[in-house]
Amino acid sequence: MRSRRTTRCSGRRIAVALGLLAPRATSGAPAEPNKQVTALTPQDIRWFTPTSYTDGRQRAHLRGDSSKGGDWIDRVRIPGGSRILAHTHPDDEIDTVMEGTWCLGIGERFDEAKLKAYPAGSFIVIPANVPHFVATREGPVVVQSSGHGMFQTNYVEQ
C-alpha cells in the first residue's frame, strides 16, 4: 500500500508541476520593444526601376533590400508582351504570381514552345543556377519574389 501511495503522490506532484508550467508555456510572450508590424497597402508600395531593367520592368522592396542581401521580399511588375532571355540566379528563386499570368520556361535559350503559363496565385521555386526564361502575353504581370542574400541575375543568353 505504501509503495502505491508513493507512486500516486509523485504522480500528483508531476501533474501539479506540469499544471503550473502550462500557463507560462501557452501564454504569449511579451512583445519585444524593437519589433514593429510592417503593413503596406497597395498605395504604400513604392515602385522603382533598377538600372539593369531596360525593358519597362519595375521592382518594389516590401521587406529588406534585395540589392544589399539579408532576408528580402520584393515585387516585380512586368509589362505585357515582355520577354526575358535565359538567365540564372545564384540562390533559389521563390515566386508567387500576384496578378496576371507569368509564363516560365526552363532551358538555356528562350523557346516559346517551352513556356508554361502560371496564373495569379501560382507558387514557383526555381532552384539556384537553373537556367530559365520568362514572358508575359497580356499585362502587366506582378510577381512577388523572396530570398536571402543579394539578388543577382546572370544572363546565359544575350
Side-chain angles (χ1 to χ4, degrees):
M1 192 85 157
R2 190 162 181 61
S3 63
R4 204 173 206 194
R5 206 174 214 176
T6 305
T7 305
R8 200 179 287 168
C9 282
S10 61
R12 283 187 192 148
R13 284 187 192 138
I14 291 172
V16 169
L18 289 175
L20 291 174
L21 293 176
R24 289 186 187 131
T26 59
S27 65
E32 293 180 33
N34 296 349
K35 297 223 177 204
Q36 296 180 358
V37 171
T38 300
L40 300 172
T41 65
Q43 296 79 16
D44 295 329
I45 295 173
R46 300 289 169 237
W47 295 94
F48 67 97
T49 303
T51 55
S52 61
Y53 287 1
T54 58
D55 55 4
R57 282 181 288 164
Q58 293 182 303
R59 202 166 186 97
H61 297 310
L62 301 180
R63 181 170 189 213
D65 186 337
S66 58
S67 68
K68 295 180 180 173
D71 290 330
W72 55 268
I73 301 171
D74 285 0
R75 285 199 184 154
V76 180
R77 185 166 36 203
I78 310 165
S82 294
R83 291 170 39 132
I84 302 167
L85 298 178
H87 61 279
T88 64
H89 305 287
D91 298 304
D92 291 354
E93 181 177 353
I94 304 166
D95 300 302
T96 301
V97 181
M98 305 297 292
E99 296 177 25
T101 301
W102 196 47
C103 300
L104 170 71
I106 305 301
E108 295 186 359
R109 291 234 169 267
F110 189 97
D111 182 349
E112 190 82 28
K114 290 183 178 179
L115 289 171
K116 181 174 178 184
Y118 293 94
S122 298
F123 175 76
I124 303 111
V125 177
I126 304 167
N129 301 311
V130 170
H132 58 283
F133 47 90
V134 175
T136 60
R137 295 190 176 103
E138 295 178 17
V141 173
V142 177
V143 177
Q144 185 164 298
S145 297
S146 62
H148 181 79
M150 191 168 73
F151 179 79
Q152 185 178 350
T153 301
N154 302 311
Y155 284 91
V156 177
E157 180 178 29
Q158 301 298 326

